[in-house]
Amino acid sequence: MLERICEQTVAIHASLNDPSLKKDCRNLVLEGTEYSLAEDLIKLLGVMKEATLMVSSATNPSICLILPILTKLKIHLQPCDEDSTSIKTIKQSMLDNLNTRYQRPELRQIFVVASLQDLKYRNMRFAELQEIEDGKHLLKKLVRDLIKDTPNSCALVTTETGDEDDGPTVSKRPKNEDSRLSELLDDDELANDTGSMSPSTEASKEVFNFLNEPRLKNQSSLDWYKLNGARFPRISVLAKKLLSVPATSVPSERVFSTAGFIVNKSRNCLLPENVDRLIFLNKNYKSTSN
């Protein structure tokens, strides 16, 4: 609304000063200081609008965005010397409100770990240094617990992605032959590094390698996990659990908006079942066509 007012200043002035109007509307013309305030509000609220759209997404994980966006907004809302008194007051009010949100320690831990698992925010200071270090330790603990619960998770990933029909069929060896073979090959010198590591060491290695991956720029984190899930099997499992879309009422509210566009003055005789079908097509045609 404010952007339109500033864009159409000349047209608005011409309309409100038109002598043919039955009612005098010249008192509605904004003054220079009011236009300046509107322009400042556009700059201030534009960032809030973008942040709202990002966390309201119903198709992409947005839980990892909470702390990075919150940090950026707090920086954006810091009062500046060139700000007017009104803008400073608005900024301070919004900043006080944001400072009361997401302060529960157990909730922030989840947000920190979720942000660590999204490679786009690898180098961003989205929390205090100690809080980020605690998040890394929690990530290692979650990976270690996952290794203990599913010790053969690496083998499972390889098996699930492979094709069972490929390759020749291998005949089973007799049990006593397997036993002799195990005794022959059961040597620490020939042991696999991964198999010989404790769950704690293995978890630290996987997390360390993951945290040293290059930062993503344009690629989606979900697409990255599809390509690299086999390299980080436990972290990929955690990503499926943590990188979620938080519950939001935005999709349902958009359905109501769509219904308002369909049922208007020129289409007010539509049957209820036809309205339902039109809304269904509106919301599903785009996804099916892709």
Side-chain angles (χ1 to χ4, degrees):
M1 179 188 68
L2 293 175
E3 287 177 347
R4 289 297 184 187
I5 290 175
C6 291
E7 288 174 2
Q8 304 297 330
T9 301
V10 177
I12 293 173
H13 277 235
S15 301
L16 295 178
N17 289 296
D18 189 350
S20 63
L21 292 176
K22 295 181 179 180
K23 185 178 180 180
D24 187 5
C25 297
R26 286 176 292 181
N27 61 322
L28 298 178
V29 177
L30 297 181
E31 299 177 354
T33 55
E34 292 172 323
Y35 274 112
S36 298
L37 178 59
E39 292 175 352
D40 292 340
L41 283 172
I42 291 171
K43 296 178 182 178
L44 175 62
L45 299 179
V47 178
M48 304 296 294
K49 176 186 175 183
E50 293 299 324
T52 303
L53 292 175
M54 290 177 69
V55 298
S56 299
S57 173
T59 56
N60 296 306
S62 53
I63 190 171
C64 50
L65 299 173
I66 300 298
L67 289 186
I69 287 179
L70 191 65
T71 302
K72 287 293 184 180
L73 287 180
K74 288 182 179 180
I75 296 174
H76 177 69
L77 293 174
Q78 291 297 327
C80 305
D81 295 336
E82 57 269 18
D83 290 338
S84 63
T85 304
S86 300
I87 293 297
K88 287 182 178 179
T89 303
I90 295 172
K91 279 187 173 182
Q92 190 60 52
S93 178
M94 296 172 72
L95 190 59
D96 292 341
N97 187 286
L98 285 179
N99 285 330
T100 63
R101 299 176 182 271
Y102 309 115
Q103 295 303 314
R104 287 166 48 197
E106 66 276 13
L107 190 63
R108 289 187 65 89
Q109 277 189 336
I110 295 175
F111 289 146
V112 169
V113 174
S115 298
L116 285 173
Q117 287 197 281
D118 195 315
L119 295 176
K120 288 184 179 179
Y121 313 107
R122 173 57 41 80
N123 300 323
M124 181 180 290
R125 180 74 64 82
F126 52 81
E128 297 294 333
L129 286 176
Q130 185 58 49
E131 197 172 24
I132 294 176
E133 289 300 318
D134 293 341
K136 292 179 180 179
H137 288 301
L138 178 59
L139 182 60
K140 291 179 183 178
K141 179 181 181 300
L142 294 173
V143 173
R144 183 175 67 248
D145 294 342
L146 197 59
I147 293 174
K148 291 179 179 178
D149 295 338
T150 55
N152 297 323
S153 57
C154 281
L156 289 174
V157 171
T158 306
T159 304
E160 290 175 358
T161 55
D163 192 347
E164 296 180 355
D165 296 334
D166 291 343
T169 303
V170 180
S171 59
K172 294 183 179 180
R173 295 187 181 90
K175 187 174 181 181
N176 58 350
E177 185 177 345
D178 280 340
S179 176
R180 292 194 298 270
L181 186 62
S182 298
E183 292 178 1
L184 176 64
L185 298 179
D186 188 14
D187 192 340
D188 290 339
E189 295 179 359
L190 301 178
N192 191 334
D193 290 340
T194 303
S196 63
M197 285 190 293
S198 66
S200 179
T201 304
E202 193 172 350
S204 298
K205 182 178 180 180
E206 183 169 340
V207 172
F208 176 80
N209 292 335
F210 174 76
L211 293 178
N212 281 279
E213 285 289 305
R215 180 173 177 265
L216 290 182
K217 294 184 179 179
N218 299 322
Q219 187 182 16
S220 167
S221 58
L222 295 184
D223 292 337
W224 185 90
Y225 275 108
K226 287 180 181 179
L227 297 174
N228 299 275
R231 295 170 52 209
F232 306 100
R234 288 91 178 195
I235 292 180
S236 297
V237 172
L238 292 176
K240 292 178 182 178
K241 296 180 180 181
L242 293 178
L243 296 186
S244 59
V245 180
T248 172
S249 63
V250 173
S252 60
E253 293 173 1
R254 286 173 178 162
V255 172
F256 284 107
S257 299
T258 302
F261 289 132
I262 293 174
V263 183
N264 50 43
K265 291 181 179 180
S266 60
R267 306 178 73 185
N268 57 8
C269 293
L270 285 169
L271 295 175
E273 55 267 26
N274 290 336
V275 173
D276 290 342
R277 291 169 181 170
L278 289 171
I279 294 175
F280 178 83
L281 289 174
N282 179 277
K283 292 299 179 184
N284 293 278
Y285 174 75
K286 187 175 181 179
S287 59
T288 55
S289 62
N290 291 336

